[in-house]
């Protein structure tokens, strides 16, 4: 952990990967989103102070955490066994499935993963969308590796979809919904993964993790969590 806050509390630095609306994105140069507001509200309930946010590509967040460049990850990060071997997670704060996003023009309207065979598709590097492509399409031999495009950022993947360079993007459903509301793309179908997002913390930072879990449950019990859901997901 970094230094002490002015009031004697411990200062922590948070890391995220913008380009994943509405969880984290840049708006007029400002980092905003559900994850940003939620983690800040949770930290407010603890004895820790947030020194600031650092931005990384998604695949670099776990190394940044283990190298102690950051102390917590808030990036719509799915809790899974593979990551759990390197880092720890707080309790879950959001659930998601994967969605397959296509252009709105209707030329290509897949209804299952096997319909993606032979098509150029994309996902973000190091994500569970990429794992879905790998495990469900490439490994079983339904998609040639050369058809898969790995992007540093989901915004770039969706732009390539709009440009016609790829025919589908595999991405977390709430983010797919946001892109579909803002761009000429649409959700063709969803693929159930039942993943849960948690804040990533360093293995062994048990006191900090416990403080975040307590903060999260306070924020959930009050109106803050619902208010933030309304603000960012409009429901
Ligand atoms: N939920 C997915 C995962 O954990 C995607 C997260 C991408 N997050 C981001 N901020 N780009 O792999």
């Amino acid at each position: 952990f970094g230094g002490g806050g002015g009031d004697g509390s411990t200062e922590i630095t948070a890391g995220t990967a913008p380009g994943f609306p509405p969880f984290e994105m840049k708006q007029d140069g400002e980092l905003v989103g559900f994850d940003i507001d939620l983690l800040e509200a949770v930290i407010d309930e603890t004895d820790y102070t947030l020194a600031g946010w650092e931005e990384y590509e998604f695949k670099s967040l776990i190394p940044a955490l283990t190298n102690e460049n950051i102390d917590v990850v808030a990036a719509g990060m799915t809790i899974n066994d593979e990551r759990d071997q390197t880092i720890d997670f707080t309790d879950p704060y959001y659930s998601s499935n994967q969605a397959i996003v296509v252009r709105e023009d209707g030329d290509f309207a897949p209804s299952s993963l096997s319909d993606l065979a032979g098509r150029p598709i994309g996902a973000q590097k190091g994500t569970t969308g990429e794992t879905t492509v790998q495990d469900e399409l490439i490994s079983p031999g339904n998609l040639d590796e050369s058809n898969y495009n790995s992007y540093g950022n989901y915004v770039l993947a969706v732009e390539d979809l709009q440009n016609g360079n790829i025919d589908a993007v595999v991405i977390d459903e709430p983010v797919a919904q946001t892109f579909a509301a803002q761009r000429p793309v649409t959700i063709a179908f969803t693929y159930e993964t039942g993943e849960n997002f948690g804040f990533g913390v360093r293995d062994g930072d048990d006191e900090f993790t416990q403080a975040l879990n307590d903060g999260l449950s306070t924020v959930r019990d009050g109106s803050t969590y619902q208010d933030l859901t309304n603000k960012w997901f409009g429901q």
Side-chain angles (χ1 to χ4, degrees):
F1 287 109
D7 54 358
S9 64
T10 306
E11 281 199 340
I12 53 122
T13 301
T16 190
F20 198 62
F23 292 93
E24 42 268 343
M25 63 242 191
K26 298 301 281 261
Q27 227 166 52
D28 305 320
E30 288 276 298
L31 179 66
V32 297
F34 178 76
D35 279 339
I36 311 306
D37 284 352
L38 181 63
L39 182 67
E40 289 183 359
V42 166
I43 290 176
D44 271 347
E45 298 296 334
T46 71
D47 291 335
Y48 295 83
T49 309
L50 185 63
W53 288 89
E54 300 282 347
E55 296 169 23
Y56 291 87
E57 274 195 5
F58 185 75
K59 68 163 171 38
S60 304
L61 284 167
I62 291 180
L65 183 63
T66 55
N67 290 339
E68 306 195 11
N69 292 121
I70 53 176
D71 303 302
V72 56
V73 171
M77 187 177 274
T78 300
I79 302 169
N80 65 27
D81 290 345
E82 191 194 332
R83 292 172 182 162
D84 227 350
Q85 289 173 4
T86 323
I87 63 170
D88 270 343
F89 285 97
T90 62
D91 294 335
Y93 65 83
Y94 210 87
S95 310
S96 177
N97 290 307
Q98 292 295 310
I100 288 61
V101 176
V102 297
R103 278 180 300 281
E104 214 168 41
D105 61 24
D107 281 355
F108 178 48
S111 58
S112 70
L113 285 178
S114 54
D115 291 341
L116 301 177
R119 293 280 187 155
I121 66 169
Q124 183 178 24
K125 249 187 215 83
T127 61
T128 51
E130 183 166 88
T131 310
T132 302
V133 172
Q134 187 60 247
D135 293 356
E136 308 301 329
L137 285 165
I138 298 176
S139 296
N142 291 328
L143 188 85
D144 193 81
E145 189 124 34
S146 63
N147 282 143
Y148 175 61
N149 300 267
S150 191
Y151 295 88
N153 189 306
Y154 264 126
V155 173
L156 299 176
V158 173
E159 280 170 1
D160 249 10
L161 173 65
Q162 289 178 234
N163 294 338
N165 291 331
I166 55 174
D167 288 338
V169 172
V170 182
I171 183 170
D172 302 62
E173 188 176 7
V175 183
Q177 281 164 353
T178 307
F179 279 126
Q182 297 171 346
R183 294 163 182 261
V185 298
T186 188
I187 295 180
F189 66 97
T190 57
Y191 178 74
E192 201 169 319
T193 53
E195 41 203 295
N196 286 306
F197 300 169
F199 298 125
V201 288
R202 257 188 308 279
D203 236 343
D205 277 350
D206 298 343
E207 220 173 287
F208 179 46
T209 308
Q210 188 57 53
L212 290 179
N213 282 336
D214 291 346
L216 190 58
S217 91
T218 305
V219 161
R220 269 188 185 277
D221 289 347
S223 62
T224 311
Y225 186 89
Q226 190 57 52
D227 291 346
L228 293 180
T229 305
N230 295 344
K231 175 179 173 187
W232 292 106
F233 300 93
Q235 57 203 355

